[in-house]
Amino acid sequence: MIQARGASLVYYDHGREVFACRNVDLEVRPGEFLGILGPSGSGKSSLLYLLSGLKTPSSGDVAFDGRSVGDLNDEERSKMRLNDFGFVFQQPFLLGYLTAIENVTVATVGKAAYEEARELLDRLGMGEKSHRYPHELSGGERQRVCVARALLGDPMVVFADEPTASLDHANGSQVVHLLNQHRGSGSLVMVTHDPSMLAEADRIVELNDGMLASGHQATEVATGH
Ligand SMILES: Nc1ncnc2c1ncn2[C@@H]1O[C@H](COP(=O)(O)OP(=O)(O)O)[C@@H](O)[C@H]1O
Ligand SMILES: [Mg+2]
């Protein structure tokens, strides 16, 4: 479905090359919860940018259903991100002047989306608070609104970039659990530095200095799920 082959991402820092990802071979399989574990600065966010088509690899390739990201134009890539992918970030980015449910539907239109948003918020335990503004919610509740926004429209893949980093352990675990439980048939790709947040993952790969531990499938940690 998503396939990275020898993918590298290079940033230029005052003319100096910084390899954020180096020669990554990784596949996102349909319906799996893939955990990517790595310390701060190991290239986790950069790898998610590559896997979600937000950035094009400096070398190597990332392909979506067999189509190389380099062959997609900007419009095709943004369409893919909007329709097929959902995103949850470290900080719960919400618009302060919109209610919870308005934040969930902000990128979509129509009554159907609103109904779906209401149902999602309900399932995430936020039904009663769906008309509150972000400042009237706790950090964990705000992140649950972000989870609802990411799951709206049943995306094929949800990408989560350290979604628990701003939360305490209990709230963090709950957010991961809810993401995992309500993603339907879509895949979940989550990066984190905290192994305890990957207890429900089907597969875990480790990232260090932009490299998957020792390359490929051999580095996978079996989770028994
Ligand atoms: N825009 C940038 N310019 C230069 N270097 C960057 C930039 N963004 C990230 N980096 C570097 O790339 C490496 C990986 O960063 P990142 O993907 O954000 O790691 P993580 O998400 O695991 O903390 C780090 O060494 C970081 O300093
Ligand atoms: Mg990061």
Side-chain angles (χ1 to χ4, degrees), residues 41 43-46 49 90 161-162 191:
K44 300 183 297 299
S45 296
S46 301
Y49 299 153
Q90 180 168 344
D161 190 346
E162 304 207 60
V191 304

Side-chain angles (χ1 to χ4, degrees), residues 164-197:
T164 66
S166 67
L167 304 174
D168 62 50
H169 189 270
N171 273 298
S173 306
Q174 192 192 27
V175 159
V176 178
H177 179 66
L178 290 170
L179 254 176
N180 189 36
Q181 200 173 31
H182 297 290
R183 68 194 160 93
S185 58
S187 312
L188 170 60
V189 182
M190 185 174 129
V191 304
T192 178
H193 63 272
D194 182 353
S196 73
M197 292 300 162

Side-chain angles (χ1 to χ4, degrees), residues 9-14 16-21 38-49 55 90 161-162 191 207 209-210:
L9 185 62
V10 177
Y11 295 112
Y12 289 93
D13 184 19
H14 298 93
R16 195 174 59 92
E17 282 190 339
V18 179
F19 273 83
C21 293
S40 173
S42 59
K44 300 183 297 299
S45 296
S46 301
L47 181 53
L48 282 193
Y49 299 153
K55 288 194 188 279
Q90 180 168 344
D161 190 346
E162 304 207 60
V191 304
L207 194 65
D209 278 335

Side-chain angles (χ1 to χ4, degrees), residues 17 20 71 80 101 109 133 142 145 162 191 194 204 219 223:
E17 282 190 339
D71 296 339
M80 185 175 72
I101 192 160
V109 281
Y133 288 90
R142 283 201 284 268
V145 175
E162 304 207 60
V191 304
D194 182 353
I204 299 172
T219 65
T223 62

Side-chain angles (χ1 to χ4, degrees), residues 79-180:
K79 224 173 174 176
M80 185 175 72
R81 279 198 297 273
L82 193 63
N83 298 331
D84 300 334
F85 297 161
F87 295 89
V88 185
F89 302 99
Q90 180 168 344
Q91 297 295 334
F93 291 120
L94 297 170
L95 296 170
Y97 54 87
L98 296 179
T99 63
I101 192 160
E102 287 166 349
N103 267 286
V104 174
T105 56
V106 71
T108 51
V109 281
K111 205 158 174 271
Y114 195 84
E115 283 306 312
E116 190 193 343
R118 195 154 63 182
E119 200 189 305
L120 268 169
L121 285 169
D122 229 18
R123 285 197 278 149
L124 299 174
M126 291 292 296
E128 312 235 297
K129 298 178 177 171
S130 63
H131 293 288
R132 289 203 191 171
Y133 288 90
H135 76 270
E136 300 167 325
L137 301 171
S138 73
E141 289 169 344
R142 283 201 284 268
Q143 197 59 306
R144 280 192 268 164
V145 175
C146 295
V147 167
R149 185 177 55 195
L151 293 176
L152 191 75
D154 265 327
M156 232 154 55
V157 187
V158 174
F159 295 97
D161 190 346
E162 304 207 60
T164 66
S166 67
L167 304 174
D168 62 50
H169 189 270
N171 273 298
S173 306
Q174 192 192 27
V175 159
V176 178
H177 179 66
L178 290 170
L179 254 176
N180 189 36

